[in-house]
Amino acid sequence: MRGGLAMNRRPLFKFRQAGIPTLRSVKIKILLCGCVALTLLAISNRNCGSSPSLLGWTGDVPSIDRYSSPRGRYAIVMNTWKRYDLLKKSISHYASCPRLDSIHIVWSEPDPPSVSLQRFLNHVVGLNSRVGPRIELIVDINKKDSLNNRFKDIKDLKADAVFSIDDDVIFPCSSVEFAFTVWQSAPDTMVGYVPRMHWVNEKEGKDKYIYGGWWSVWWTGTYSMVLSKAAFFHKKYLKLYTDEMPASIKEYITRNRNCEDIAMSFLVANATGAPPIWVKGKIFEIGSTGISSLGGHSETRTECVNKFAAEFGRMPLVSTSLKAIDSRNVWFW
């Protein structure tokens, strides 16, 4: 009898042994299928710019706002100086961006642009206007050479948003479109790609400040300015800069050929009491040199910060650690 039981149990034990690896393999296959499905879903959301993202806000806006209203499009104000090849590359690139309304080139050279240069720029803008809304190209010729010219009030500007950009930096249109959408959510503040900061110079007192460059932002994770070499702001600040910026500050900028971007940051912060917004974006610098490469640049900028704070009667800049990131272009955010 016992022998019979032993013989009956042996096949059952073998069946259980065989069933364990079978069950494990089924579980592994289910997990693998789930991982593959989630991966495909994530890739689908990353590649579909117009569909909602499962991970967060995609930056999409209602279609009624996209082209029809003043806030649905933006104007580029580009500062340039005797770098015609860079100007051609920049205009050729930005003219293809979908929600661009107009391009205003700030020209402060003693000689007007050549006929061949104007013909080229009109040609590339005209080509892109064939496949979308007409883009207006205007060369604003200034008699006086001053960095203040880039913030001169523009009459009859249709778009509310101004994208201030230098001729030697290029951002992908998708990145510009995202920054523009961020600006639409906070149209009174500055939204840009190049953050800078200030902090109190404790050695000299609470009313003395130090200008901090990119490495200061990277180290501390905070900023209080976004530079106008690549930033969105409302067109009303052009008029405010032209009419209300203290003459002493504008004269200082003209004389030293520096710090007009800091002055605009002061102006907007003073008007809003709020910090700017830093947008993450890949920058392509197509120029070789600039004033930031000159010796004593940080010291000059520190002098500007203290000069402007004294003229405003206070420090209007507000520090923040906020950064806007397009969730469609990152795996984790």
Side-chain angles (χ1 to χ4, degrees):
M1 188 72 176
R2 289 179 181 175
L5 288 173
M7 291 179 64
N8 291 336
R9 286 176 182 172
R10 189 171 299 170
L12 181 61
F13 178 71
K14 286 183 179 180
F15 172 78
R16 287 176 179 172
Q17 277 188 322
I20 290 173
T22 302
L23 183 60
R24 287 178 179 172
S25 64
V26 170
K27 288 182 177 179
I28 291 172
K29 288 180 180 179
I30 292 173
L31 287 173
L32 287 175
C33 290
C35 291
V36 171
L38 288 173
T39 300
L40 292 174
L41 185 61
I43 292 173
S44 174
N45 275 278
R46 282 167 59 87
N47 292 335
C48 184
S50 60
S51 62
S53 170
L54 294 179
L55 300 178
W57 174 52
T58 65
D60 289 337
V61 295
S63 59
I64 189 173
D65 233 4
R66 194 168 292 274
Y67 292 115
S68 58
S69 73
R71 285 186 59 187
R73 301 177 71 186
Y74 60 90
I76 281 181
V77 176
M78 183 176 294
N79 196 52
T80 187
W81 178 263
K82 294 185 177 181
R83 300 188 289 194
Y84 309 135
D85 288 341
L86 301 186
L87 180 62
K88 290 178 179 179
K89 290 180 181 178
S90 293
I91 297 298
S92 298
H93 168 70
Y94 289 114
S96 65
C97 294
R99 288 198 278 175
L100 177 63
D101 181 73
S102 59
I103 301 174
H104 302 259
I105 300 173
V106 181
W107 191 275
S108 301
E109 298 179 22
D111 298 322
S114 65
V115 174
S116 60
L117 177 61
Q118 293 192 67
R119 185 183 298 117
F120 176 86
L121 297 179
N122 282 313
H123 175 69
V124 295
V125 170
L127 287 177
N128 287 284
S129 295
R130 293 178 183 175
V131 295
R134 180 179 176 274
I135 299 170
E136 188 177 18
L137 175 66
I138 299 173
V139 180
D140 179 20
I141 300 177
N142 298 276
K143 296 180 179 179
K144 185 179 180 180
D145 176 20
S146 172
L147 288 174
N148 293 304
N149 292 338
R150 71 183 306 167
F151 300 136
K152 189 172 67 174
D153 188 23
I154 300 175
K155 304 298 181 183
D156 302 322
L157 188 60
K158 296 177 183 178
D160 285 345
V162 171
F163 183 39
S164 175
I165 189 80
D166 284 351
D167 61 2
D168 61 348
V169 290
I170 284 180
F171 294 89
C173 286
S174 59
S175 183
V176 177
E177 293 290 304
F178 174 70
F180 177 47
T181 305
V182 174
W183 174 86
Q184 287 179 309
S185 70
D188 286 332
T189 193
M190 289 184 72
V191 175
Y193 301 93
V194 187
R196 295 293 183 265
M197 68 172 295
H198 79 284
W199 68 85
V200 176
N201 187 346
E202 297 179 354
K203 294 181 180 179
E204 297 190 17
K206 63 179 182 179
D207 295 330
K208 297 296 181 181
Y209 306 94
I210 298 174
Y211 173 85
W214 162 246
W215 291 112
S216 299
V217 176
W218 179 84
W219 181 257
T220 63
T222 61
Y223 63 97
S224 57
M225 297 172 271
V226 290
L227 301 187
S228 56
K229 70 182 295 180
F232 279 96
F233 53 80
H234 198 283
K235 66 179 180 181
K236 65 186 177 182
Y237 293 119
L238 295 178
K239 182 172 178 56
L240 196 63
Y241 190 101
T242 301
D243 297 340
E244 303 295 335
M245 179 66 76
S248 58
I249 290 181
K250 290 196 281 190
E251 291 168 2
Y252 181 91
I253 290 169
T254 299
R255 185 170 61 254
N256 292 277
R257 296 192 62 80
N258 206 330
C259 299
E260 85 288 354
D261 47 1
I262 296 178
M264 178 55 87
S265 289
F266 266 71
L267 183 78
V268 177
N270 188 65
T272 63
I277 299 176
W278 170 23
V279 175
K280 182 180 179 181
K282 188 171 181 59
I283 181 172
F284 297 92
E285 299 199 31
I286 57 177
S288 56
T289 59
I291 60 174
S292 61
S293 63
L294 302 177
H297 179 69
S298 294
E299 291 78 7
T300 300
R301 307 279 276 182
T302 293
E303 183 180 327
C304 291
V305 170
N306 286 287
K307 168 73 174 176
F308 300 165
E311 291 288 344
F312 275 77
R314 68 187 188 96
M315 170 51 74
L317 298 177
V318 180
S319 298
T320 182
S321 56
L322 175 72
K323 180 164 66 171
I325 300 176
D326 190 345
S327 63
R328 295 168 297 183
N329 299 326
V330 292
W331 283 103
F332 301 102
W333 64 287

